[in-house]
Amino acid sequence: MLHRLRVWSIGLCGSVVLAAGAISVGAAPAGADQGNALFVGCGSGSYQTIGAAVLAASSGQTIFVCQGTYDENVVVPSSKQLSIRGIGVPIIDASGPGTGPYPGVQVLSSGSEIVGLTIENAFGEGILVGFEPGTASGPPVSDVVILANTVVNNDQGNPTGLPLLSSSYGECAEKVQPAPAPPIPGDCGEGIHLLSAVDSVVANNTVTGNSGGILLTDENGPTYGNLIKGNYVSNNQYDCGVTVAGHNIAAAGGVHDNAIVDNTVTDNGVLGQGAGVVFASPVPGGAYGTGGAVYDNLVEGNYIWGNGLGGVTVHSHSTGQDLNGNVIRNNVIGTNNLDHDSDFAFAGADFIDGQTTGIVIATLSDISITIKSNVIVDDTNGVWIGEVFGATVTAVGTAASNVFYGVTTPVVTVTH
């Protein structure tokens, strides 16, 4: 369990050697290049766009971006390991340049850092770590740090009336009419997206007003060993706060050994269908392990409240999927499932219609999961377990080792 996960320390001067907030300096430099650093928008002689500085930079350099608004999309190419850091409050406004489902910032180089920026109004993700499906080449992107950024009002879709490749874009169809073409089936891309990324850190970011908050998927290969820590993920109203989704078959992908710890996850998915934190896969399987795979992940120490679906939700939509070994512990979870869990309505009956619920497990595959030491508050159901068409849920520590306040039924199991 979690054998691949690095032990990261995020503090004022954590082991990733980054400050916890945006960088603050004194007088702006006189030139664009100072030692091993490049500067953008910092006065006479500095670069005027981040893209120009990226083009000029050599691998291993740092780009400091001074306060201002930059109307551009930024791509860190796979050939350059770069650190892009904000001075003051620089804003990347990605509303104008893109003519397709582009992110505000896309990181294709392992070991790169995005620190202290505001990214807003992108067609797709605010920040994407990894290659869009169908464009991947080489090893997965790894060891990326996304720290202390503000990612707001992205997933804007199709504001310019461009031709569409599809009439459906999952949750985006509810936010944007007409819906944009789907680079990620069933998702808008969310505010921050790790797409087949490894051993990376997403910490101390504010993620709000996007379709969804933070997304981990495996279209181009497995996503594992990542730390999602200390983020404020709120009011992403059309999808989940943190989505851990297997979009590939187990043999080619898998989202596993990731840690989601010490985050605040509130008021997400209340206009669409979104949980606080979700483990799920839409990829069907036959025999065990041939479908989607989301396993051995950790959800710990989070504050999860007021989300549209369950505070923590585990959905296995088909037989043959692997959602085993996930651990949900030491979280404060209260008054979730405000939209009710209509994702699992069978024979015309929604199992938990009208009932607020802290933790939801609904599955067509056998699942073994650990749920312990959580505080679950002010819900109709504390832990709701739906075993569909013969599936069995083994939930270690469910009733005895959790604390329930203002909960009508601590643990309920429903079979269909």
Side-chain angles (χ1 to χ4, degrees):
M1 171 64 191
L2 296 174
H3 57 282
R4 298 177 187 259
L5 185 65
R6 296 187 176 196
V7 179
W8 296 94
S9 175
I10 303 292
L12 291 179
C13 296
S15 63
V16 294
V17 198
L18 293 172
I23 297 165
S24 179
V25 299
D33 302 347
Q34 298 285 321
N36 197 43
L38 284 68
F39 293 85
V40 179
C42 299
S44 177
S46 62
Y47 294 97
Q48 296 307 299
T49 68
I50 303 168
V54 169
L55 185 63
S58 299
S59 186
Q61 287 193 290
T62 297
I63 298 172
F64 289 104
V65 183
C66 281
Q67 185 162 329
T69 299
Y70 301 87
D71 298 325
E72 55 184 313
N73 300 93
V74 176
V75 178
V76 180
S78 59
S79 59
K80 296 182 181 182
Q81 177 185 328
L82 299 176
S83 177
I84 302 179
R85 305 187 182 195
I87 297 173
V89 187
I91 297 171
I92 296 176
D93 183 346
S95 60
T99 55
Y102 301 123
V105 175
Q106 184 171 14
V107 181
L108 302 177
S109 174
S110 295
S112 292
E113 302 169 346
I114 306 296
V115 183
L117 304 176
T118 293
I119 300 100
E120 62 185 24
N121 301 327
F123 187 108
E125 300 94 336
I127 301 174
L128 169 62
V129 178
F131 296 85
E132 293 285 10
T135 67
S137 61
V141 179
S142 67
D143 299 285
V144 172
V145 173
I146 307 297
L147 177 66
N149 302 282
T150 298
V151 182
V152 58
N153 295 335
N154 297 285
D155 302 316
Q156 290 299 311
N158 191 41
T160 57
L162 298 168
L164 303 177
L165 301 179
S166 170
S167 60
S168 175
Y169 194 13
E171 292 81 2
C172 286
E174 299 178 49
K175 181 178 182 182
V176 181
Q177 296 293 336
I184 308 302
D187 292 296
C188 282
E190 327 299 57
I192 299 174
H193 186 184
L194 302 186
L195 199 165
S196 301
V198 175
D199 290 337
S200 295
V201 173
V202 177
N204 299 347
N205 301 281
T206 296
V207 185
T208 185
N210 309 284
S211 178
I214 299 172
L215 173 65
L216 287 72
T217 63
D218 60 348
E219 283 80 359
N220 298 322
T223 289
Y224 62 83
N226 300 292
L227 176 63
I228 313 299
K229 179 179 174 65
N231 301 283
Y232 177 76
V233 184
S234 183
N235 286 293
N236 303 284
Q237 295 190 349
Y238 294 85
D239 209 340
C240 304
V242 180
T243 300
V244 185
H247 289 165
N248 208 332
I249 61 172
V255 187
H256 62 90
D257 294 284
N258 302 286
I260 301 161
V261 297
D262 299 337
N263 302 281
T264 297
V265 184
T266 61
D267 304 308
N268 301 285
V270 294
L271 295 181
Q273 286 281 303
V277 177
V278 69
F279 298 145
S281 177
V283 179
Y288 170 76
T290 58
V294 179
Y295 60 92
D296 289 355
N297 299 287
L298 173 67
V299 179
E300 182 173 36
N302 303 281
Y303 177 86
I304 304 172
W305 208 287
N307 299 284
L309 298 183
V312 180
T313 297
V314 181
H315 277 176
S316 176
H317 291 267
S318 170
T319 60
Q321 297 180 332
D322 182 2
L323 274 78
N324 291 286
N326 295 302
V327 174
I328 306 167
R329 69 187 181 203
N330 298 321
N331 302 282
V332 176
I333 303 172
T335 318
N336 293 279
N337 208 44
L338 300 181
D339 289 343
H340 318 307
D341 203 321
S342 59
D343 280 3
F344 267 78
F346 289 88
D350 189 337
F351 286 162
I352 47 178
D353 187 26
Q355 301 176 11
T356 61
T357 306
I359 296 173
V360 173
I361 305 172
T363 180
L364 278 75
S365 294
D366 292 346
I367 290 178
S368 177
I369 191 168
T370 297
I371 303 172
K372 68 177 184 179
S373 301
N374 301 283
V375 178
I376 301 178
V377 182
D378 293 341
D379 275 312
T380 306
N381 306 304
V383 179
W384 186 94
I385 298 172
E387 300 174 321
V388 183
F389 300 147
T392 299
V393 176
T394 302
V396 178
T398 302
S401 62
N402 294 282
V403 177
F404 302 94
Y405 292 108
V407 173
T408 304
T409 306
V411 180
V412 58
T413 300
V414 177
T415 60
H416 181 88

